[in-house]
Amino acid sequence: MKLTIRLADENDASQMLLIYAPIVQETTISFELEPPSETEFQNRIKNYQQQMPWLVCEINGELAGYAYANPYRTRAAYQWSVESSVYVAENHRRKGVAKALYTALFKLLQLQGFYNVVAAIALPNQPSVAVHEAVGFVPVGVFHRVGFKLGKWRDVGYWQLSLQPEQCSKSDSSIQLVNPPLSVVEIQKSPLWNEALTSGLLLM
């Protein structure tokens, strides 16, 4: 069996949509109501990939799943926190794909200098909860009836993962004390890049 975890690119959009579109149309896992077009999805990959990794997992050349990070919020004080998502093709679930992708993603985010990851899970969704808690997320709260999809109001639970110890300093609080996260391009120059990218494969 040939396993690969790598950065996604715009050419992966069509295969990623084969995984994502049924999730949008048939489940409450995503709160999108209509699947994005291939062009829109390509733009998402291109725009976010500059700052945060979007990863795909291939098994014997077939795209089995993908995971990515987005900004948690746009205001500057949130720049060290991200929100993560992972999606796995139906015929590759319960094989460790999600855990492998998340392991690699979080190693890369850690190298970039991010500190916190937030995951939002529409409830109930025990398989997703299990995956997130298996990689270290802890529950931090529930927003009740905040989304309406498939004929019902839906609760959303929030989980949080700490990537590394927080830096602190007694310096003047008006001075920037924590370095901004590095871009994906910058972190690719690190000798630890390949090790982080392939770390998830050890779990499969």
Side-chain angles (χ1 to χ4, degrees):
M1 182 168 64
K2 183 179 179 181
L3 302 173
T4 304
I5 293 178
R6 60 171 175 79
L7 282 179
D9 61 43
E10 296 167 58
N11 295 325
D12 295 312
S14 60
Q15 291 189 71
M16 294 165 79
L17 274 174
L18 289 177
I19 297 172
Y20 185 58
I23 290 172
V24 172
Q25 294 167 329
E26 302 167 12
T27 79
T28 59
I29 293 172
S30 169
F31 272 17
E32 289 198 80
L33 300 180
E34 297 292 337
S37 68
E38 185 172 336
T39 298
E40 182 181 350
F41 207 82
Q42 288 173 334
N43 288 335
R44 293 181 188 183
I45 297 170
K46 179 180 178 181
N47 293 336
Y48 285 120
Q49 187 89 283
Q50 297 175 30
Q51 186 58 33
M52 298 170 194
W54 282 48
L55 303 181
V56 295
C57 176
E58 291 179 323
I59 299 178
N60 296 329
E62 179 183 355
L63 201 149
Y66 66 95
Y68 62 88
N70 285 339
Y72 171 64
R73 293 285 189 273
T74 57
R75 293 184 178 178
Y78 288 115
Q79 67 184 287
W80 295 273
S81 297
V82 303
E83 185 170 354
S84 67
S85 297
V86 62
Y87 298 100
V88 178
E90 187 173 2
N91 60 322
H92 287 291
R93 292 173 188 167
R94 294 174 293 279
K95 297 180 181 179
V97 173
K99 189 173 182 179
L101 280 164
Y102 259 175
T103 298
L105 177 66
F106 299 153
K107 288 285 188 182
L108 293 175
L109 292 171
Q110 188 179 47
L111 286 176
Q112 287 182 265
F114 291 103
Y115 281 79
N116 299 289
V117 186
V118 174
I121 303 174
L123 302 175
N125 187 343
Q126 187 53 41
S128 184
V129 171
V131 166
H132 284 82
E133 294 188 349
V135 295
F137 280 88
V138 295
V140 293
V142 176
F143 288 174
H144 296 282
R145 299 176 296 281
V146 292
F148 188 86
K149 188 173 182 185
L150 299 182
K152 292 183 179 180
W153 289 101
R154 307 291 176 174
D155 296 346
V156 176
Y158 286 86
W159 275 255
Q160 186 171 343
L161 173 69
S162 176
L163 293 173
Q164 53 194 322
E166 297 175 2
Q167 295 182 10
C168 57
S169 170
K170 296 181 180 179
S171 302
D172 186 337
S173 61
S174 67
I175 299 175
Q176 185 72 53
L177 301 178
V178 185
N179 292 327
L182 300 173
S183 69
V184 172
V185 171
E186 290 173 305
I187 202 62
Q188 281 182 281
K189 301 172 185 176
S190 168
L192 299 177
W193 167 265
N194 285 331
E195 179 182 333
L197 192 61
T198 59
S199 60
L201 296 177
L202 301 176
L203 304 175
M204 297 183 67

